[in-house]
């Protein structure tokens, strides 16, 4: 990755025309060929950029541009369209290149799989006396996140989402309709569990006899089981 901090101006042409007047900016040139112009603000979003496949050519300014103080002209041409980004560099304040290597990618914390694992280990959150039957209980229309038994021996089907909306309630409803056809499981009641449950989803769930459970991921992850400690 090449990082250039410079006083620059830029022109974009192609599907749209845009112009950035002269200012000090960060120009990022990535190994995939993309070129991005950032200001000291606007969070992660660049002011302008060219996505790969594209080629970067560094050229000399013409006489008029040189007289205006331009020292280099970067032309970034997209390989599959007429889109072009031209960057006029005036004063380069910093220019460095860094080998970052292969990135492992973003590992998300608190995704549904994590919530499912934690709830299975802390099935008591469904209520005292509940017991886990299994995770990913198979059905003809897909696996139910958690199947459990309540203290009375009744079957409980749990659908887990990070953010619970109406689609999640509809999904659990379909599971319940199918599971209740099995005489070995029926009657089966449903629990819709999520870190956040939208009001419309809660109303629909209640109307269909489905319980709602809000999951506190941080609290679940930080449970201290005193019986499992060495000291």
């Amino acid at each position: 990755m090449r990082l250039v901090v410079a006083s620059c101006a830029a022109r974009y042409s192609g599907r749209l025309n845009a112009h950035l007047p002269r200012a000090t900016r960060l120009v990022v040139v990535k190994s995939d060929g993309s070129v991005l112009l950032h200001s000291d603000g606007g969070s992660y979003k660049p002011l302008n950029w060219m996505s790969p496949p594209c080629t970067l050519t560094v050229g000399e300014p013409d006489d008029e541009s040189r007289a205006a103080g331009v020292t280099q002209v970067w032309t970034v041409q997209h390989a599959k369209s007429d889109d072009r980004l031209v960057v006029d560099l005036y004063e380069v304040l910093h220019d460095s290149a860094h080998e970052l290597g292969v990135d492992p990618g973003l590992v998300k914390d608190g995704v549904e799989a994590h919530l499912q694992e934690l709830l299975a280990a802390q099935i008591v959150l469904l209520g005292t006396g509940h017991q886990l039957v299994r995770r990913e209980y198979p059905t003809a229309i897909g696996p139910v996140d958690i199947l459990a038994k309540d203290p009375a021996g009744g079957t409980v089907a749990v659908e887990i989402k990070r953010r619970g909306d109406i689609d999640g309630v509809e999904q659990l409803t379909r599971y319940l309709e199918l599971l209740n056809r099995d005489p070995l499981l029926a009657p089966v009641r449903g629990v819709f569990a999520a870190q956040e449950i939208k009001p419309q989803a809660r109303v629909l769930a209640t109307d269909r006899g489905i319980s709602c459970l809000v999951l506190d991921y941080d609290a679940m992850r930080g449970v201290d089981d005193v019986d499992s400690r060495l000291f």
Side-chain angles (χ1 to χ4, degrees), residues 55-163:
T55 56
L56 167 61
T57 304
V58 178
E60 295 293 326
D62 58 25
D63 292 339
E64 182 179 355
S65 296
R66 190 185 302 277
V70 177
T71 58
Q72 295 181 36
V73 179
W74 289 13
T75 302
V76 188
Q77 178 67 53
H78 198 273
K80 296 183 178 180
S81 70
D82 293 331
D83 290 281
R84 177 180 296 175
L85 175 65
V86 178
V87 183
D88 293 329
L89 275 69
Y90 292 83
E91 181 183 5
V92 176
L93 306 174
H94 174 86
D95 190 346
S96 64
H98 307 271
E99 181 61 49
L100 302 186
V102 178
D103 193 277
L106 179 67
V107 179
K108 294 184 178 180
D109 199 11
V111 296
E112 292 171 13
H114 296 159
L115 293 170
Q116 182 191 119
E117 181 180 357
L118 288 169
L119 184 56
Q122 303 169 44
I123 202 68
V124 70
L125 292 176
L126 297 179
T128 303
H130 281 72
Q131 294 183 339
L132 176 68
V133 175
R134 69 166 291 176
R135 295 166 55 190
E136 299 288 332
Y137 184 85
T139 76
I141 58 174
V144 177
D145 288 333
I146 287 180
L147 199 71
K149 289 288 185 179
D150 63 23
T155 307
V156 182
V158 185
E159 179 63 26
I160 300 173
K161 300 293 184 186
R162 291 187 65 234
R163 292 181 174 83

Side-chain angles (χ1 to χ4, degrees), residues 8-63:
C8 63
R11 304 180 301 281
Y12 193 102
S13 61
R15 290 167 294 179
L16 58 84
N17 294 323
H19 172 68
L20 287 173
R22 181 177 177 177
T24 301
R25 300 184 177 93
L26 168 65
V27 185
V28 179
V29 183
K30 296 187 177 182
S31 60
D32 63 3
S34 55
V35 178
L36 307 93
L37 280 75
H38 286 271
S39 65
D40 193 12
S43 186
Y44 65 92
K45 189 175 182 179
L47 297 170
N48 212 329
W49 69 95
M50 182 71 75
S51 299
C54 58
T55 56
L56 167 61
T57 304
V58 178
E60 295 293 326
D62 58 25
D63 292 339

